[in-house]
Amino acid sequence: ERLLINVLAKNPARSDAWVKLANLQVIRGDTLSGARSLRSALQNQNERVNPMPIWRQLASIYGPKTRIDALLAETPADTRFLEQLGEFYRQLARIDDPKKAVPLLERALLLFNHLTQASPGRADLFAKQGELFLNLNRPIDARNAFVLAAKLDNRPEYHLGRAHSLLFEQLYYPAIKILESIKPKMAVNSEFLDKTILSLGNAYAATGKNE
């Protein structure tokens, strides 16, 4: 560890050395020092190292609630890192074993809840919070988050999220009203237009309007 620290004092851009240092610290049980080293590796990242193993190790380190609580209590908060970590948990929830998805989504939600409080003017954070609530089968909380996002930035995709929360609860008619209102506002060839039309088709079918 001392040798690696000396190397990094002279050349902090050696991301590979940061990763080796973190691995040694984790092996001897000092996971928080390992986390700090991995975060330094991200700040000094270059082509020497693949970021995926770094993020996987960070996601594992901040898995226990006590550690993620300690991360959220840091002052000043490193909001950029919190957002990156939250995004990585969302990504892992999509690609890992579905049985492991819920705790990953819950960790991401903790981070995005904190971020919306720290940056209450960012609509995109509320929208991501809404998506996480939907994935966790909490449609009312999701709807509230999408409403806040739409108040800050009246984008049609945020109203689409609100419609999805209604569809989740089988509230088809109010969802159809929203979907029909935003369909003309969607950009042509937009993924959100495709999702809107698909959601409309499913909602009409559910109400017996198969034509």
Side-chain angles (χ1 to χ4, degrees), residues 6-30:
N6 289 337
V7 168
L8 290 164
K10 298 174 183 175
N11 187 357
R14 284 286 302 274
S15 296
D16 57 334
W18 283 112
V19 173
K20 290 174 183 176
L21 175 62
N23 286 337
L24 287 172
Q25 290 165 332
V26 170
I27 286 169
R28 68 172 171 79
D30 190 355

PDB file of all heavy atoms in Angstrom, residues 6-30:
ATOM      1  N   ASN A   6       2.931   6.059  -2.797  1.00  0.00           N
ATOM      2  CA  ASN A   6       4.058   6.861  -3.304  1.00  0.00           C
ATOM      3  C   ASN A   6       3.953   7.074  -4.812  1.00  0.00           C
ATOM      4  O   ASN A   6       4.230   8.163  -5.323  1.00  0.00           O
ATOM      5  CB  ASN A   6       5.383   6.186  -2.959  1.00  0.00           C
ATOM      6  CG  ASN A   6       5.691   6.255  -1.470  1.00  0.00           C
ATOM      7  OD1 ASN A   6       5.187   7.132  -0.764  1.00  0.00           O
ATOM      8  ND2 ASN A   6       6.506   5.329  -0.982  1.00  0.00           N
ATOM      9  N   VAL A   7       3.567   6.006  -5.513  1.00  0.00           N
ATOM     10  CA  VAL A   7       3.395   6.115  -6.972  1.00  0.00           C
ATOM     11  C   VAL A   7       2.326   7.153  -7.304  1.00  0.00           C
ATOM     12  O   VAL A   7       2.500   8.007  -8.182  1.00  0.00           O
ATOM     13  CB  VAL A   7       3.025   4.746  -7.577  1.00  0.00           C
ATOM     14  CG1 VAL A   7       2.556   4.896  -9.021  1.00  0.00           C
ATOM     15  CG2 VAL A   7       4.211   3.796  -7.504  1.00  0.00           C
ATOM     16  N   LEU A   8       1.201   7.081  -6.572  1.00  0.00           N
ATOM     17  CA  LEU A   8       0.067   7.962  -6.857  1.00  0.00           C
ATOM     18  C   LEU A   8       0.350   9.412  -6.458  1.00  0.00           C
ATOM     19  O   LEU A   8      -0.222  10.337  -7.040  1.00  0.00           O
ATOM     20  CB  LEU A   8      -1.186   7.445  -6.141  1.00  0.00           C
ATOM     21  CG  LEU A   8      -1.734   6.144  -6.740  1.00  0.00           C
ATOM     22  CD1 LEU A   8      -2.719   5.480  -5.786  1.00  0.00           C
ATOM     23  CD2 LEU A   8      -2.391   6.426  -8.091  1.00  0.00           C
ATOM     24  N   ALA A   9       1.204   9.609  -5.475  1.00  0.00           N
ATOM     25  CA  ALA A   9       1.575  10.971  -5.089  1.00  0.00           C
ATOM     26  C   ALA A   9       2.292  11.675  -6.244  1.00  0.00           C
ATOM     27  O   ALA A   9       2.146  12.890  -6.434  1.00  0.00           O
ATOM     28  CB  ALA A   9       2.466  10.943  -3.859  1.00  0.00           C
ATOM     29  N   LYS A  10       3.038  10.894  -7.036  1.00  0.00           N
ATOM     30  CA  LYS A  10       3.769  11.462  -8.168  1.00  0.00           C
ATOM     31  C   LYS A  10       2.921  11.485  -9.434  1.00  0.00           C
ATOM     32  O   LYS A  10       3.104  12.356 -10.286  1.00  0.00           O
ATOM     33  CB  LYS A  10       5.050  10.653  -8.422  1.00  0.00           C
ATOM     34  CG  LYS A  10       6.033  10.681  -7.258  1.00  0.00           C
ATOM     35  CD  LYS A  10       7.206   9.752  -7.520  1.00  0.00           C
ATOM     36  CE  LYS A  10       8.165   9.724  -6.322  1.00  0.00           C
ATOM     37  NZ  LYS A  10       9.258   8.732  -6.507  1.00  0.00           N
ATOM     38  N   ASN A  11       2.009  10.512  -9.569  1.00  0.00           N
ATOM     39  CA  ASN A  11       1.210  10.411 -10.790  1.00  0.00           C
ATOM     40  C   ASN A  11      -0.214   9.974 -10.437  1.00  0.00           C
ATOM     41  O   ASN A  11      -0.566   8.802 -10.533  1.00  0.00           O
ATOM     42  CB  ASN A  11       1.846   9.403 -11.753  1.00  0.00           C
ATOM     43  CG  ASN A  11       1.161   9.396 -13.099  1.00  0.00           C
ATOM     44  OD1 ASN A  11       0.176  10.097 -13.307  1.00  0.00           O
ATOM     45  ND2 ASN A  11       1.678   8.600 -14.026  1.00  0.00           N
ATOM     46  N   PRO A  12      -1.076  10.927 -10.025  1.00  0.00           N
ATOM     47  CA  PRO A  12      -2.439  10.577  -9.615  1.00  0.00           C
ATOM     48  C   PRO A  12      -3.321  10.101 -10.755  1.00  0.00           C
ATOM     49  O   PRO A  12      -4.431   9.631 -10.519  1.00  0.00           O
ATOM     50  CB  PRO A  12      -2.973  11.883  -9.014  1.00  0.00           C
ATOM     51  CG  PRO A  12      -2.151  12.951  -9.632  1.00  0.00           C
ATOM     52  CD  PRO A  12      -0.787  12.356  -9.853  1.00  0.00           C
ATOM     53  N   ALA A  13      -2.852  10.187 -11.996  1.00  0.00           N
ATOM     54  CA  ALA A  13      -3.647   9.715 -13.135  1.00  0.00           C
ATOM     55  C   ALA A  13      -3.493   8.215 -13.370  1.00  0.00           C
ATOM     56  O   ALA A  13      -4.116   7.670 -14.277  1.00  0.00           O
ATOM     57  CB  ALA A  13      -3.266  10.473 -14.398  1.00  0.00           C
ATOM     58  N   ARG A  14      -2.672   7.552 -12.541  1.00  0.00           N
ATOM     59  CA  ARG A  14      -2.494   6.101 -12.696  1.00  0.00           C
ATOM     60  C   ARG A  14      -3.702   5.371 -12.110  1.00  0.00           C
ATOM     61  O   ARG A  14      -3.692   4.913 -10.973  1.00  0.00           O
ATOM     62  CB  ARG A  14      -1.203   5.660 -12.002  1.00  0.00           C
ATOM     63  CG  ARG A  14       0.080   5.995 -12.746  1.00  0.00           C
ATOM     64  CD  ARG A  14       0.287   5.082 -13.950  1.00  0.00           C
ATOM     65  NE  ARG A  14       0.315   3.680 -13.588  1.00  0.00           N
ATOM     66  CZ  ARG A  14       1.412   3.019 -13.183  1.00  0.00           C
ATOM     67  NH1 ARG A  14       2.562   3.660 -13.080  1.00  0.00           N
ATOM     68  NH2 ARG A  14       1.349   1.742 -12.890  1.00  0.00           N
ATOM     69  N   SER A  15      -4.754   5.273 -12.902  1.00  0.00           N
ATOM     70  CA  SER A  15      -5.984   4.645 -12.421  1.00  0.00           C
ATOM     71  C   SER A  15      -5.759   3.195 -12.013  1.00  0.00           C
ATOM     72  O   SER A  15      -6.377   2.698 -11.072  1.00  0.00           O
ATOM     73  CB  SER A  15      -7.070   4.720 -13.498  1.00  0.00           C
ATOM     74  OG  SER A  15      -7.417   6.054 -13.753  1.00  0.00           O
ATOM     75  N   ASP A  16      -4.870   2.522 -12.724  1.00  0.00           N
ATOM     76  CA  ASP A  16      -4.605   1.120 -12.383  1.00  0.00           C
ATOM     77  C   ASP A  16      -4.022   1.004 -10.973  1.00  0.00           C
ATOM     78  O   ASP A  16      -4.347   0.066 -10.222  1.00  0.00           O
ATOM     79  CB  ASP A  16      -3.658   0.489 -13.405  1.00  0.00           C
ATOM     80  CG  ASP A  16      -2.339   1.246 -13.531  1.00  0.00           C
ATOM     81  OD1 ASP A  16      -2.317   2.468 -13.251  1.00  0.00           O
ATOM     82  OD2 ASP A  16      -1.328   0.615 -13.902  1.00  0.00           O
ATOM     83  N   ALA A  17      -3.195   1.977 -10.576  1.00  0.00           N
ATOM     84  CA  ALA A  17      -2.614   1.945  -9.236  1.00  0.00           C
ATOM     85  C   ALA A  17      -3.677   2.223  -8.178  1.00  0.00           C
ATOM     86  O   ALA A  17      -3.656   1.633  -7.089  1.00  0.00           O
ATOM     87  CB  ALA A  17      -1.476   2.968  -9.142  1.00  0.00           C
ATOM     88  N   TRP A  18      -4.620   3.120  -8.477  1.00  0.00           N
ATOM     89  CA  TRP A  18      -5.722   3.369  -7.542  1.00  0.00           C
ATOM     90  C   TRP A  18      -6.526   2.087  -7.298  1.00  0.00           C
ATOM     91  O   TRP A  18      -6.889   1.767  -6.171  1.00  0.00           O
ATOM     92  CB  TRP A  18      -6.656   4.447  -8.093  1.00  0.00           C
ATOM     93  CG  TRP A  18      -6.172   5.853  -7.983  1.00  0.00           C
ATOM     94  CD1 TRP A  18      -5.811   6.680  -9.007  1.00  0.00           C
ATOM     95  CD2 TRP A  18      -5.997   6.616  -6.783  1.00  0.00           C
ATOM     96  NE1 TRP A  18      -5.419   7.912  -8.523  1.00  0.00           N
ATOM     97  CE2 TRP A  18      -5.525   7.899  -7.158  1.00  0.00           C
ATOM     98  CE3 TRP A  18      -6.180   6.340  -5.433  1.00  0.00           C
ATOM     99  CZ2 TRP A  18      -5.251   8.897  -6.233  1.00  0.00           C
ATOM    100  CZ3 TRP A  18      -5.914   7.345  -4.496  1.00  0.00           C
ATOM    101  CH2 TRP A  18      -5.452   8.596  -4.898  1.00  0.00           C
ATOM    102  N   VAL A  19      -6.803   1.365  -8.375  1.00  0.00           N
ATOM    103  CA  VAL A  19      -7.591   0.126  -8.252  1.00  0.00           C
ATOM    104  C   VAL A  19      -6.834  -0.914  -7.429  1.00  0.00           C
ATOM    105  O   VAL A  19      -7.408  -1.587  -6.568  1.00  0.00           O
ATOM    106  CB  VAL A  19      -7.943  -0.420  -9.650  1.00  0.00           C
ATOM    107  CG1 VAL A  19      -8.617  -1.785  -9.537  1.00  0.00           C
ATOM    108  CG2 VAL A  19      -8.865   0.552 -10.383  1.00  0.00           C
ATOM    109  N   LYS A  20      -5.525  -1.042  -7.685  1.00  0.00           N
ATOM    110  CA  LYS A  20      -4.722  -1.995  -6.902  1.00  0.00           C
ATOM    111  C   LYS A  20      -4.695  -1.604  -5.428  1.00  0.00           C
ATOM    112  O   LYS A  20      -4.789  -2.463  -4.546  1.00  0.00           O
ATOM    113  CB  LYS A  20      -3.302  -2.063  -7.467  1.00  0.00           C
ATOM    114  CG  LYS A  20      -3.216  -2.749  -8.830  1.00  0.00           C
ATOM    115  CD  LYS A  20      -1.801  -2.663  -9.407  1.00  0.00           C
ATOM    116  CE  LYS A  20      -1.739  -3.270 -10.796  1.00  0.00           C
ATOM    117  NZ  LYS A  20      -0.404  -3.118 -11.406  1.00  0.00           N
ATOM    118  N   LEU A  21      -4.563  -0.321  -5.172  1.00  0.00           N
ATOM    119  CA  LEU A  21      -4.566   0.158  -3.787  1.00  0.00           C
ATOM    120  C   LEU A  21      -5.900  -0.163  -3.118  1.00  0.00           C
ATOM    121  O   LEU A  21      -5.943  -0.663  -1.988  1.00  0.00           O
ATOM    122  CB  LEU A  21      -4.319   1.673  -3.767  1.00  0.00           C
ATOM    123  CG  LEU A  21      -4.414   2.358  -2.394  1.00  0.00           C
ATOM    124  CD1 LEU A  21      -3.363   1.802  -1.438  1.00  0.00           C
ATOM    125  CD2 LEU A  21      -4.258   3.869  -2.555  1.00  0.00           C
ATOM    126  N   ALA A  22      -7.000   0.102  -3.808  1.00  0.00           N
ATOM    127  CA  ALA A  22      -8.330  -0.176  -3.252  1.00  0.00           C
ATOM    128  C   ALA A  22      -8.504  -1.659  -2.958  1.00  0.00           C
ATOM    129  O   ALA A  22      -9.049  -2.043  -1.910  1.00  0.00           O
ATOM    130  CB  ALA A  22      -9.406   0.308  -4.216  1.00  0.00           C
ATOM    131  N   ASN A  23      -8.038  -2.502  -3.865  1.00  0.00           N
ATOM    132  CA  ASN A  23      -8.169  -3.948  -3.658  1.00  0.00           C
ATOM    133  C   ASN A  23      -7.428  -4.392  -2.404  1.00  0.00           C
ATOM    134  O   ASN A  23      -7.934  -5.210  -1.616  1.00  0.00           O
ATOM    135  CB  ASN A  23      -7.637  -4.708  -4.880  1.00  0.00           C
ATOM    136  CG  ASN A  23      -8.579  -4.617  -6.067  1.00  0.00           C
ATOM    137  OD1 ASN A  23      -9.769  -4.371  -5.906  1.00  0.00           O
ATOM    138  ND2 ASN A  23      -8.045  -4.801  -7.261  1.00  0.00           N
ATOM    139  N   LEU A  24      -6.221  -3.853  -2.192  1.00  0.00           N
ATOM    140  CA  LEU A  24      -5.454  -4.197  -0.987  1.00  0.00           C
ATOM    141  C   LEU A  24      -6.184  -3.730   0.276  1.00  0.00           C
ATOM    142  O   LEU A  24      -6.234  -4.447   1.288  1.00  0.00           O
ATOM    143  CB  LEU A  24      -4.065  -3.567  -1.052  1.00  0.00           C
ATOM    144  CG  LEU A  24      -3.082  -4.198  -2.042  1.00  0.00           C
ATOM    145  CD1 LEU A  24      -1.820  -3.345  -2.145  1.00  0.00           C
ATOM    146  CD2 LEU A  24      -2.712  -5.612  -1.616  1.00  0.00           C
ATOM    147  N   GLN A  25      -6.744  -2.547   0.220  1.00  0.00           N
ATOM    148  CA  GLN A  25      -7.452  -2.015   1.396  1.00  0.00           C
ATOM    149  C   GLN A  25      -8.696  -2.838   1.719  1.00  0.00           C
ATOM    150  O   GLN A  25      -8.992  -3.109   2.886  1.00  0.00           O
ATOM    151  CB  GLN A  25      -7.818  -0.547   1.133  1.00  0.00           C
ATOM    152  CG  GLN A  25      -6.606   0.361   1.111  1.00  0.00           C
ATOM    153  CD  GLN A  25      -6.881   1.723   0.504  1.00  0.00           C
ATOM    154  OE1 GLN A  25      -7.756   1.869  -0.350  1.00  0.00           O
ATOM    155  NE2 GLN A  25      -6.131   2.738   0.941  1.00  0.00           N
ATOM    156  N   VAL A  26      -9.418  -3.252   0.680  1.00  0.00           N
ATOM    157  CA  VAL A  26     -10.612  -4.079   0.896  1.00  0.00           C
ATOM    158  C   VAL A  26     -10.223  -5.442   1.459  1.00  0.00           C
ATOM    159  O   VAL A  26     -10.866  -5.960   2.371  1.00  0.00           O
ATOM    160  CB  VAL A  26     -11.413  -4.224  -0.417  1.00  0.00           C
ATOM    161  CG1 VAL A  26     -12.517  -5.270  -0.268  1.00  0.00           C
ATOM    162  CG2 VAL A  26     -12.022  -2.882  -0.819  1.00  0.00           C
ATOM    163  N   ILE A  27      -9.140  -6.015   0.934  1.00  0.00           N
ATOM    164  CA  ILE A  27      -8.689  -7.331   1.399  1.00  0.00           C
ATOM    165  C   ILE A  27      -8.361  -7.309   2.887  1.00  0.00           C
ATOM    166  O   ILE A  27      -8.672  -8.256   3.628  1.00  0.00           O
ATOM    167  CB  ILE A  27      -7.462  -7.795   0.577  1.00  0.00           C
ATOM    168  CG1 ILE A  27      -7.909  -8.216  -0.830  1.00  0.00           C
ATOM    169  CG2 ILE A  27      -6.744  -8.960   1.269  1.00  0.00           C
ATOM    170  CD1 ILE A  27      -6.753  -8.436  -1.796  1.00  0.00           C
ATOM    171  N   ARG A  28      -7.763  -6.213   3.359  1.00  0.00           N
ATOM    172  CA  ARG A  28      -7.422  -6.165   4.789  1.00  0.00           C
ATOM    173  C   ARG A  28      -8.574  -5.640   5.646  1.00  0.00           C
ATOM    174  O   ARG A  28      -8.425  -5.423   6.844  1.00  0.00           O
ATOM    175  CB  ARG A  28      -6.153  -5.355   5.027  1.00  0.00           C
ATOM    176  CG  ARG A  28      -6.227  -3.877   4.759  1.00  0.00           C
ATOM    177  CD  ARG A  28      -4.943  -3.191   5.245  1.00  0.00           C
ATOM    178  NE  ARG A  28      -4.864  -1.802   4.838  1.00  0.00           N
ATOM    179  CZ  ARG A  28      -5.512  -0.804   5.441  1.00  0.00           C
ATOM    180  NH1 ARG A  28      -6.293  -1.051   6.468  1.00  0.00           N
ATOM    181  NH2 ARG A  28      -5.378   0.436   4.992  1.00  0.00           N
ATOM    182  N   GLY A  29      -9.748  -5.421   5.023  1.00  0.00           N
ATOM    183  CA  GLY A  29     -10.944  -5.096   5.789  1.00  0.00           C
ATOM    184  C   GLY A  29     -11.282  -3.631   5.903  1.00  0.00           C
ATOM    185  O   GLY A  29     -12.277  -3.270   6.530  1.00  0.00           O
ATOM    186  N   ASP A  30     -10.478  -2.751   5.288  1.00  0.00           N
ATOM    187  CA  ASP A  30     -10.756  -1.316   5.360  1.00  0.00           C
ATOM    188  C   ASP A  30     -11.522  -0.910   4.105  1.00  0.00           C
ATOM    189  O   ASP A  30     -10.989  -0.288   3.188  1.00  0.00           O
ATOM    190  CB  ASP A  30      -9.443  -0.535   5.476  1.00  0.00           C
ATOM    191  CG  ASP A  30      -9.668   0.942   5.796  1.00  0.00           C
ATOM    192  OD1 ASP A  30     -10.837   1.363   5.839  1.00  0.00           O
ATOM    193  OD2 ASP A  30      -8.670   1.659   5.993  1.00  0.00           O
TER     194      ASP A  30
END
